[in-house]
Amino acid sequence: MAAIEVCKGIHSVGVLNPNMRVFDVVMKTEYGTSYNSYLVEGDHKKALIETVHHRYFNQYIQNIEQVCPLNEIDYVVLNHNEPDHSGSLAMLMEKIPNATVVLSQAGSVYIKNITNRTDLKVQVAKSGDVIDLGGKPPSFVSAPFLHWPDSMFTYVKEDKLVFTCDFLGSHYCEPTMHDQEITYLEKYKFAFKGYYDAIFGPFKPYVIAGLEKLDALDADIVCPSHGPILTGGGLLDYTKEMYKAWSTPAEHSEKVIPLFFCTAYGNTEQVAAAIRDGILEVLPGAKCELYDLIDHDLGEMGALLNSSDAFCIGTPTINRDAVPPVMMLLAHVD
Ligand code: FEO
């Protein structure tokens, strides 16, 4: 992907990874991902927002240089330090050693360990701080636990545009980075939900707080660091509404008590059915479904588990241990 203009003075300079099928060991990514980065040009200075995965460094540099020479970059803003966004920082700083790295207080601690560099020129950003690029000063909003303690947003008021890193992102990859040009909308929505479940599901109260911060900014363009850019005329309202719905505690008129199991010869399934019958004797209105984990998506099962009033899980044993799908589902418990 080449550099793409988002609006006057702001370019997308990130890279696509259409072939990725597993992210961070545990996430299925059927539609690849992108490592987004953005270049903001003021009248006097320039700032990069995020870097990319270290394997894409050369392509990343080519994209930046389509917009400006590297030595014109004054700041590198890291809204979040996980290596899919900070992985190229150490190599980038070899090329622009005088640039200042801007990050949150927590991020300033992490980055020393991630880069093994203690000599970087670092500026800690607090909520309300700005960096003066000349005519277009990005400001910072603390957004902790979206999804690490270091997370923050970077806002460009003049363009009603906010960089949110992972927040409202998606592991989804199409040639253009614009929500209004997505070809396979249902696939995007599937990827968007899977991303939420895996990354933000454990942080629901912080998601609600993050949405309130976004609304206070009145942003019309959201530039995440994975997946398409979201706009007021496109999917921005949809994505915010979904995050709100998924993060608001469910109120059930009847108890929801799913029974998850794996079964090698049908015995564990029989036990699960007997437990279900017992629950229904006591709570006749309860929603009490059986789920064989082999037949269902683990992300969906995790979301169901975390929105339930109670759950049961059963497993046969192999060498005196639970089988892997059961252990993986338990790893999803918020
Ligand atoms: Fe996309 Fe939390 O890194």
Side-chain angles (χ1 to χ4, degrees), residues 12 72 90 214 246:
S12 165
E72 291 186 6
L214 265 192
W246 296 330

Side-chain angles (χ1 to χ4, degrees), residues 23 80 82 84-85 147 166 195 226:
F23 185 87
H80 164 48
E82 209 166 1
D84 51 331
H85 308 297
H147 62 121
D166 286 331
Y195 183 92
H226 301 288

